Amino acid sequence: MALADYSREKILNHLFGNDPSWVSQSTYYIGLARGTIQNDGNNIPDVEFSGGGYERKAYSNTVSNWTNSSSGVVTNSSVVSWNQATSSWGTTTHFFIANNSTVGETSGLIVIGQLSKTKTISLYDYPAFSANRDRKSTRLNSSHIPLSRMPSSA
């Protein structure tokens, strides 16, 4: 997981007194992508999923939802699950955390990461990140668990 340009600049400005008013968000939005995300986020519209029931997942920024940083690692403490896919989304390879919920929006990108395991999101899947798992390559839990798959007649 890497800090995106936006968050890196905000943190540096905050640490060195140039933006003392900057504070963390009460809610972050976790997104999924089918390709590498640029640090500036300019290619988000090209790689973020859209349609088929996909939306960025709101995740409250509370002490109960994130672990304390240890050796530079922060992990989600509860399951992060998306809505059921109403069509195939394709294969997800990357994730990101942003400060806004708008699919395709390039501003406000906080962190980006590559998933340690890719996952094809098919019709009726419920993509999810498990809780409290360090996946090494992402330093944020990145396992996708299809919680259930319902028949098309459901």
Side-chain angles (χ1 to χ4, degrees):
M1 179 170 71
L3 290 175
D5 290 350
Y6 169 83
S7 57
R8 186 173 48 248
E9 297 302 321
K10 288 290 192 181
I11 290 168
L12 287 172
N13 285 334
H14 179 74
L15 289 174
F16 294 100
N18 294 318
D19 189 0
S21 64
W22 189 64
V23 296
S24 62
Q25 302 272 132
S26 61
T27 301
Y28 286 122
Y29 299 89
I30 303 174
L32 301 173
R34 62 181 165 272
T36 303
I37 303 164
Q38 297 169 349
N39 277 347
D40 61 12
N42 284 339
N43 71 327
I44 286 284
D46 300 325
V47 298
E48 183 177 14
F49 294 112
S50 63
Y54 170 79
E55 59 185 24
R56 293 180 182 182
K57 178 64 182 172
Y59 194 70
S60 295
N61 187 24
T62 63
V63 295
S64 62
N65 275 347
W66 300 103
T67 61
N68 286 327
S69 177
S70 176
S71 301
V73 177
V74 173
T75 305
N76 54 299
S77 299
S78 61
V79 173
V80 179
S81 56
W82 280 260
N83 295 330
Q84 182 183 37
T86 59
S87 67
S88 176
W89 297 355
T91 302
T92 184
T93 59
H94 291 74
F95 73 95
F96 62 92
I97 299 174
N99 68 6
N100 65 75
S101 63
T102 306
V103 172
E105 176 60 46
T106 61
S107 65
L109 193 61
I110 307 297
V111 296
I112 56 177
Q114 182 175 355
L115 300 174
S116 59
K117 294 179 182 177
T118 63
K119 170 69 176 152
T120 300
I121 309 300
S122 302
L123 177 65
Y124 305 121
D125 279 352
Y126 287 90
F129 289 165
S130 298
N132 299 314
R133 296 174 96 180
D134 174 15
R135 293 296 188 193
K136 295 184 175 72
S137 68
T138 62
R139 298 291 184 160
L140 180 74
N141 172 33
S142 62
S143 65
H144 289 275
I145 303 170
L147 299 177
S148 70
R149 202 178 267 224
M150 296 170 49
S152 59
S153 61

